[in-house]
Amino acid sequence: MILWLWLCWGFPTSAGQPDSELMARYLEEQLLADYSIVEQVARRVPRQAKFLQRLETRPRMSEFNVRSTIISRYAFTTVSCTMVNSGSEAREAVFEMQIPAAAFISNFTMSIGNKTYYGEVTGKEKKNSSDDKTRHNKPPSPTDGRENGYETFKASVFIPRKMQARFLLHYEELLQRRLGKYEYTVSIRPQQLVGRLRVEVNILENSGIVSLEVPPLRNSKQKGNGKAEGDVSPPPSTVIGHTKTLAKVTFNPSVVEQSRIARNGILGDFIIRYDVNRELSVGDVQILNGYFVHYFAPTDLPPLPKNVVFVLDSSASMVGTKLKQTKEALFTILQDLRPEDHFNIIGFSNRIKVWQQDRLVPVTPNNIRDAKKYIHNMSPTGGTNINGALQTGAKLLNDYIAQNDIDARSVSLIIFLTDGRPTVGETQSSKILSNTKDAIRDKFCLFTIGIGNDVDHKLLERMALENCGMTRHFQEDEDAASHLKGFYDEIGTPLLSDIRVDYPEDDVEQVTQNFFPNYFNGSEIIIAGKLINRTSDKLHVEVTASNSKKYILLKTDVAIDLPSRNDIRGVPGLEDGKGDKNYIERAWSYLTIKELLNSRLKSDDSREKDYLMEKAKSMALAYNFVTPFTVLKMREAGLHSEPPQEEFISPSTDGIGEKVQSLQGHKAPPGIRREQDKQRIKVSKTSADGDPHFVIDFPSSKFSVCFNIDGEPGDILRLVSDHKESGEQPSQAVACGGKLKCVTVNGQLIGAPAPPNGHKKHRTYFSTITILSNKPERSYLEITPRRIILDDGERLVLSCGRSATVRSRSLEVSISANSNITVTIRDTISFVILIHRYKKPAPYQRNHLGFYISNSKGLSSDSHGLLGQFLNHEVKLLQEPLNTSHQQVGQNQTEELKPNPTTTLKVKGRLVPVVWKQRRIYNGQQEVECWFAKNNADKLIDGSYKDYLASHPFDTGTSFGTVNSL
């Protein structure tokens, strides 16, 4: 037909690109906009009618429309396609759509003329009856027809002459985070130019959308897509708009623009990548209508060391591109290994060759160079001994773990790559699976990669599932090397191990997987469940994990909003009248079914497999999901039924903040009573807080002493300095290092104007508290009112606005959100830092910290500093009459001496005049009556306050050593 029109209107048959665009414009303006033009042309040129019919081999697609809404990572997609048969006889129309393999089809409807057929999800039978009037090919099984993570949905019908057919396909998926981004992909392959082609994607993320990008269309197998190498611009006609929480992306190419991309109508994959705001906390917990979903993806964590064995197929079938691509990818991967990692390489065919016998080697320039030489010299030959290679790799890694003093929290793993099926040694899949599981014994994870069409994908998938790993399948094409490198990047940076997420047993049920062996940088852990007690106003969440040398405990109470406030069915665009679009409940059902399918795949027990199958089938039927155990059967809706209408979920900005709840630990929605902002804790009176006011408690004397330090903004005061050396005289302790046991606390001052009518020229507060310790390992804490930096060889950043606990061998940091931080050193020293933050500070107020000593048992008698020098010393309270004699005051005489201005303290042989005062402890609970020493604690402290100035926050030296008196 196109050729006939070409000749009829005089387009030259030898036309180049400009002429093809001219023809495309004509098709866009006339032919595809109105199919009646074909009939008009046929009547004008009756001699060409038979030739025209011969060219009309298939119905034309007049419309291809994809609309999607992504709400908190859960994507609803609707594909609408209209085909027109302008011929003189009935013709077959084929609707074909590639959908993500992880997606579940939830509905399919088609209308042919005045007849409508709808899809009904039913349990799969042994023999599926066929419909005489329509033929519907279901998506293939995961082991059949899967290509690069996609499956093909196909439906074919006969369209009567001069009529049209409309297809509506709905599918749902939970987006997975990889390499720090969520990726949503739509396949645009109508296989012909389309008059009206449109893709519209709406995204709602109440956490906040960041890093939104739309790369060029991806079509690695097709040439002529018009994209120059390195082009990262969006496809033509793409429009991107977004606010903080909402985004809308449209792709609406004209026929001319389509023809420039691909004349055959196979445009490629339209991709949207984005991420959301997050920080180290319990994560993003969302609750709606009795269901919850919990997203956990912490950032700013140091990577864990890896022990990795690469097991690479070098059999004869790897000859050519596959082995070349594998080598290129491995060269890059080896370069990305970190100095703390250890590795080895095994090549296998019918023979198994280990690069370094009986050991894993550290990452050094020489070892990386030699490993690259070994890989370069690998040559394809022989058969494929998968079982032997895995047994060798598992033994190598097990022996290394058992015989070496490796870090207990390092991550061990095997990366296995093959392009074929087992042909040498053990070839039965069941035996290979059991042998591999017995060899690994849950001590490390196995990650599998299949290349090409001959690989046993089911075997690789099950091996990975049974051994806490992941699998990927790549086609043999020009992008194989980048795919391999991309997969390694997903697992190459472990940040946490042994992650467990807990909720109170009495509050939740039917919770999905809540224990995860590893968390890799750029990924995300997702847990979902049902609430038992819907009347509760909060849900307690605890996350425990290991990070390098630290044990991390994160916990919070998440506010549960009222159901009416979370009901999104009232939002414009969400009402379809045919079901509850409860995205959190559907995300829970999606995750639950996926876990049942994986559990069944891993099981060897027939009864258990049947039970899991029935459970998955029952849930799939309840939520109308097409799974391996359910099938979509077409039913006729009736002769006078309405044609299918497109059902679409579209978020609205109007009132959406009141409709969708997205809580991140400390945020309570409007109307929910928040816990008291600052928890009241009982702390020691010995402290430095406020402007700053110092208090020293002497429990045996049953009184307290207080003083002020009028420092300058920027001064760094040494509060505690304890240098104690094992086996040496204390006088030799001059700095932290060697055998010294050292604990130092420094506080940096920030300035503020003095209140009006005050006697001070300015105020000062502690803006930063630094705590340093060097036994059994060097570590420091830098604390401000907003964040905490913990560094014990590896840097960890924590927010003061999130409750969390971090433990290492000698240090524990416990954060009570926006209230206080407790630091415990070697279980014998405890400091409490109070957080003072103002919503609307006065000019003379500043966000600041207070420092309290709650346990000083681990500090030596030689402690020093403005507070530390008094921890192991007692003072005496004396009354000094007009004569020169001194009268010691008994404990029961304290009250009688309050008004006496001549009261003195005897401190280390010095007499210090004091007056009676009342001080308030800044946790708001205690008031302290104390004897106040004036003039910057003159004679009370050793030396003057300037002797306690540190040169920088991490200064651990001391000006006094072991001086007892001056």
Side-chain angles (χ1 to χ4, degrees):
M1 178 177 69
I2 292 177
L3 178 61
W4 183 86
L5 290 172
W6 207 338
L7 295 173
C8 183
W9 265 268
F11 294 134
T13 56
S14 60
Q17 181 66 22
D19 292 322
S20 66
E21 291 185 12
L22 181 62
M23 184 194 73
R25 280 198 176 91
Y26 176 80
L27 291 175
E28 179 181 19
E29 295 171 0
Q30 299 188 51
L31 179 59
L32 296 182
D34 185 2
Y35 272 83
S36 63
I37 188 69
V38 177
E39 298 181 46
Q40 297 173 14
V41 171
R43 285 195 294 271
R44 288 180 190 174
V45 194
R47 294 179 182 178
Q48 303 294 336
K50 292 183 179 180
F51 179 61
L52 179 64
Q53 290 176 353
R54 288 199 300 271
L55 291 178
E56 291 177 349
T57 57
R58 59 178 178 174
R60 299 294 303 175
M61 187 180 295
S62 64
E63 181 182 20
F64 183 84
N65 190 10
V66 179
R67 303 187 72 187
S68 174
T69 291
I70 303 170
I71 308 178
S72 296
R73 294 79 145 174
Y74 195 76
F76 298 87
T77 302
T78 299
V79 182
S80 171
C81 175
T82 302
M83 293 187 178
V84 179
N85 177 18
S86 300
S88 57
E89 61 183 36
R91 297 193 182 279
E92 184 182 31
V94 179
F95 169 67
E96 189 172 312
M97 183 70 188
Q98 286 190 2
I99 66 173
F104 286 147
I105 293 171
S106 57
N107 201 1
F108 178 66
T109 310
M110 56 187 179
S111 175
I112 307 163
N114 61 352
K115 294 185 178 180
T116 299
Y117 302 87
Y118 66 92
E120 180 184 345
V121 178
T122 63
K124 182 177 287 188
E125 301 172 359
K126 292 183 179 180
K127 291 184 180 180
N128 295 316
S129 59
S130 61
D131 195 320
D132 295 332
K133 297 179 180 179
T134 64
R135 287 179 291 165
H136 170 226
N137 296 330
K138 300 175 295 299
S141 66
T143 58
D144 186 20
R146 179 176 290 194
E147 179 181 337
N148 286 339
Y150 291 90
E151 293 176 345
T152 301
F153 177 90
K154 183 184 291 185
S156 61
V157 298
F158 276 88
I159 305 177
R161 61 183 297 274
K162 312 298 182 183
M163 299 188 74
Q164 70 177 19
R166 190 175 189 223
F167 305 89
L168 277 177
L169 175 67
H170 302 260
Y171 62 88
E172 302 173 19
E173 61 181 313
L174 184 61
L175 302 185
Q176 300 298 309
R177 187 170 184 257
R178 293 175 180 170
L179 302 177
K181 297 287 181 66
Y182 302 100
E183 182 172 292
Y184 175 76
T185 304
V186 175
S187 174
I188 307 176
R189 292 173 170 83
Q191 303 184 41
Q192 54 182 286
L193 300 178
V194 182
R196 292 183 295 275
L197 190 153
R198 178 179 175 85
V199 177
E200 179 181 319
V201 181
N202 293 272
I203 305 172
L204 169 62
E205 295 284 355
N206 273 21
S207 301
I209 299 171
V210 296
S211 306
L212 179 67
E213 62 182 41
V214 182
L217 293 169
R218 180 175 61 196
N219 196 342
S220 60
K221 289 191 172 185
Q222 295 296 329
K223 296 182 180 180
N225 58 8
K227 291 293 176 186
E229 186 176 353
D231 186 4
V232 294
S233 59
S237 78
T238 301
V239 178
I240 305 171
H242 70 91
T243 63
K244 183 179 178 181
T245 58
L246 284 167
K248 181 176 182 178
V249 180
T250 59
F251 174 57
N252 188 21
S254 65
V255 173
V256 174
E257 289 169 324
Q258 294 175 47
S259 67
R260 290 173 180 168
I261 298 170
R263 299 176 190 174
N264 59 3
I266 303 178
L267 275 65
D269 295 328
F270 184 76
I271 304 167
I272 298 173
R273 298 190 185 105
Y274 74 94
D275 200 13
V276 300
N277 285 314
R278 57 172 50 85
E279 58 185 274
L280 180 62
S281 69
V282 297
D284 183 9
V285 182
Q286 302 188 20
I287 302 170
L288 179 63
N289 294 341
Y291 292 85
F292 74 89
V293 63
H294 183 179
Y295 301 100
F296 180 66
T299 57
D300 296 326
L301 295 172
L304 300 174
K306 297 189 301 293
N307 311 306
V308 57
V309 176
F310 300 95
V311 183
L312 310 176
D313 190 343
S314 60
S315 61
S317 58
M318 288 285 289
V319 69
T321 304
K322 284 185 281 191
L323 188 57
K324 179 183 177 183
Q325 296 282 347
T326 300
K327 289 181 178 181
E328 289 177 3
L330 261 293
F331 289 159
T332 307
I333 289 170
L334 289 174
Q335 208 63 44
D336 288 346
L337 291 174
R338 296 181 176 84
E340 62 270 20
D341 296 338
H342 292 76
F343 74 104
N344 203 341
I345 303 167
I346 297 174
F348 74 94
S349 53
N350 56 331
R351 297 176 58 194
I352 298 168
K353 300 178 181 178
V354 181
W355 171 49
Q356 297 287 339
Q357 291 292 333
D358 302 326
R359 62 176 180 148
L360 270 66
V361 299
V363 175
T364 64
N366 288 341
N367 286 338
I368 296 296
R369 180 199 61 203
D370 294 344
K372 288 182 177 180
K373 288 181 181 178
Y374 175 79
I375 293 172
H376 176 75
N377 293 328
M378 289 176 64
S379 58
T381 180
T384 307
N385 187 355
I386 290 178
N387 183 73
L390 287 171
Q391 293 296 304
T392 302
K395 184 178 186 304
L396 180 66
L397 198 49
N398 272 317
D399 290 347
Y400 175 76
I401 294 172
Q403 297 171 9
N404 293 272
D405 184 22
I406 67 169
D407 191 322
R409 289 166 185 163
S410 63
V411 173
S412 301
L413 50 95
I414 291 177
I415 298 178
F416 176 81
L417 182 146
T418 184
D419 75 325
R421 300 171 182 269
T423 60
V424 176
E426 182 58 67
T427 58
Q428 291 187 26
S429 295
S430 59
K431 290 287 185 65
I432 295 174
L433 288 168
S434 62
N435 291 344
T436 303
K437 192 170 183 178
D438 291 342
I440 291 177
R441 300 194 299 275
D442 296 325
K443 290 188 176 180
F444 46 84
C445 297
L446 170 65
F447 298 85
T448 60
I449 304 170
I451 302 180
N453 296 322
D454 298 329
V455 71
D456 188 343
H457 177 81
K458 189 172 183 179
L459 173 63
L460 297 185
E461 182 179 41
R462 185 167 174 185
M463 280 198 302
L465 282 175
E466 289 185 349
N467 297 283
C468 70
M470 297 184 292
T471 187
R472 292 288 185 272
H473 179 212
F474 304 126
Q475 293 297 316
E476 181 186 359
D477 59 22
E478 64 273 14
D479 288 331
S482 62
H483 287 322
L484 290 172
K485 178 60 170 59
F487 179 57
Y488 173 79
D489 288 343
E490 288 184 48
I491 62 176
T493 309
L495 299 183
L496 293 173
S497 60
D498 300 329
I499 305 101
R500 184 177 181 87
V501 185
D502 289 307
Y503 316 89
E505 293 183 359
D506 296 336
D507 291 346
V508 299
E509 64 180 354
Q510 299 184 45
V511 177
T512 58
Q513 177 185 350
N514 69 332
F515 177 80
F516 304 86
N518 299 298
Y519 165 71
F520 297 99
N521 187 38
S523 65
E524 185 171 59
I525 289 172
I526 306 176
I527 310 102
K530 297 175 65 176
L531 299 178
I532 298 175
N533 184 7
R534 295 197 181 190
T535 61
S536 175
D537 62 353
K538 63 183 179 180
L539 173 65
H540 185 72
V541 182
E542 288 191 5
V543 180
T544 58
S546 296
N547 165 253
S548 186
K549 300 174 183 178
K550 306 178 187 69
Y551 167 79
I552 297 175
L553 170 62
L554 307 171
K555 55 185 177 180
T556 193
D557 289 331
V558 178
I560 300 176
D561 206 351
L562 300 176
S564 60
R565 299 182 61 83
N566 283 322
D567 189 356
I568 63 174
R569 286 174 293 180
V571 177
L574 294 185
E575 312 93 331
D576 58 20
K578 296 186 178 181
D580 179 13
K581 292 296 185 181
N582 185 343
Y583 67 96
I584 293 182
E585 180 180 354
R586 296 191 74 81
W588 166 78
S589 65
Y590 175 97
L591 283 173
T592 302
I593 293 172
K594 288 289 184 183
E595 290 186 5
L596 291 170
L597 296 178
N598 288 338
S599 297
R600 184 181 184 276
L601 182 61
K602 292 189 292 184
S603 176
D604 291 320
D605 184 88
S606 59
R607 285 189 176 183
E608 184 184 26
K609 290 172 78 75
D610 289 343
Y611 168 76
L612 293 170
M613 179 187 71
E614 290 301 323
K615 193 172 181 180
K617 183 193 296 185
S618 175
M619 182 167 282
L621 292 174
Y623 289 92
N624 217 58
F625 285 148
V626 177
T627 69
F629 309 128
T630 53
V631 65
L632 194 63
K633 291 186 177 181
M634 303 308 297
R635 309 290 189 194
E636 186 173 350
L639 296 176
H640 302 290
S641 62
E642 293 293 328
Q645 299 298 317
E646 190 171 344
E647 301 167 6
F648 177 58
I649 303 172
S650 176
S652 168
T653 57
D654 298 332
I656 197 69
E658 297 182 357
K659 296 292 183 180
V660 180
Q661 176 185 10
S662 178
L663 303 175
Q664 298 183 359
H666 73 296
K667 295 181 180 178
I672 296 295
R673 182 179 175 273
R674 179 191 283 270
E675 294 290 333
Q676 187 172 351
D677 286 341
K678 181 156 296 188
Q679 293 185 11
R680 292 190 172 184
I681 59 170
K682 189 164 184 176
V683 295
S684 164
K685 296 177 184 178
T686 302
S687 60
D689 205 340
D691 184 16
H693 303 316
F694 289 76
V695 177
I696 303 107
D697 187 36
F698 296 97
S700 61
S701 300
K702 296 186 179 180
F703 62 79
S704 299
V705 177
C706 49
F707 60 92
N708 294 346
I709 292 294
D710 294 328
E712 296 294 327
D715 282 353
I716 301 170
L717 305 182
R718 181 164 294 115
L719 305 179
V720 176
S721 179
D722 185 19
H723 298 189
K724 182 177 180 181
E725 186 173 7
S726 301
E728 303 290 343
Q729 293 299 319
S731 60
Q732 300 175 10
V734 293
C736 293
K739 301 179 182 178
L740 295 176
K741 293 182 179 179
C742 173
V743 175
T744 303
V745 181
N746 295 327
Q748 186 164 9
L749 297 178
I750 187 174
N757 304 319
H759 65 282
K760 293 186 176 182
K761 61 180 180 179
H762 59 248
R763 283 188 166 191
T764 53
Y765 305 93
F766 286 121
S767 63
T768 305
I769 299 290
T770 308
I771 302 174
L772 305 102
S773 173
N774 78 324
K775 291 293 182 180
E777 55 195 0
R778 185 186 179 281
S779 58
Y780 77 82
L781 276 164
E782 185 179 8
I783 303 169
T784 72
R786 295 194 175 275
R787 58 105 181 95
I788 302 162
I789 297 175
L790 168 60
D791 193 327
D792 56 0
E794 293 173 338
R795 184 181 173 92
L796 179 65
V797 181
L798 302 162
S799 169
C800 292
R802 309 284 187 178
S803 294
T805 301
V806 180
R807 296 186 189 131
S808 62
R809 285 185 296 173
S810 62
L811 190 68
E812 177 179 318
V813 181
S814 181
I815 306 169
S816 178
N818 297 315
S819 177
N820 60 80
I821 301 108
T822 301
V823 180
T824 304
I825 302 173
R826 298 191 295 272
D827 295 324
T828 57
I829 304 170
S830 293
F831 304 130
V832 176
I833 294 89
L834 297 189
I835 303 169
H836 303 288
R837 288 169 62 177
Y838 302 92
K839 292 183 179 179
K840 296 180 179 180
Y844 54 86
Q845 292 177 323
R846 294 289 184 269
N847 293 339
H848 65 280
L849 302 172
F851 175 75
Y852 294 75
I853 300 176
S854 61
N855 183 3
S856 60
K857 291 180 180 178
L859 295 173
S860 72
S861 58
D862 300 307
S863 300
H864 215 269
L866 285 170
L867 293 176
Q869 63 186 295
F870 300 105
L871 295 177
N872 293 287
H873 293 276
E874 288 298 325
V875 297
K876 294 181 180 180
L877 189 62
L878 305 174
Q879 180 183 8
E880 185 177 357
L882 295 177
N883 56 31
T884 57
S885 63
H886 299 289
Q887 179 181 349
Q888 183 171 337
V889 178
Q891 296 174 3
N892 59 348
Q893 296 176 285
T894 302
E895 294 295 328
E896 300 174 2
L897 295 176
K898 288 181 187 177
N900 192 335
T902 61
T903 303
T904 60
L905 291 176
K906 187 175 182 181
V907 182
K908 301 179 183 180
R910 301 186 296 268
L911 297 180
V912 184
V914 292
V915 296
W916 187 252
K917 275 202 173 186
Q918 195 172 60
R919 279 277 166 87
R920 177 171 169 261
I921 293 292
Y922 279 72
N923 66 348
Q925 188 179 25
Q926 294 171 277
E927 287 188 350
V928 176
E929 293 179 331
C930 61
W931 293 101
F932 178 73
K934 299 180 179 180
N935 302 323
N936 278 330
D938 183 37
K939 296 184 180 180
L940 176 68
I941 59 175
D942 296 336
S944 72
Y945 95 91
K946 291 186 177 180
D947 295 325
Y948 297 84
L949 296 182
S951 59
H952 54 81
F954 306 101
D955 183 2
T956 59
T958 176
S959 302
F960 294 96
T962 58
V963 174
N964 294 318
S965 62
L966 290 176

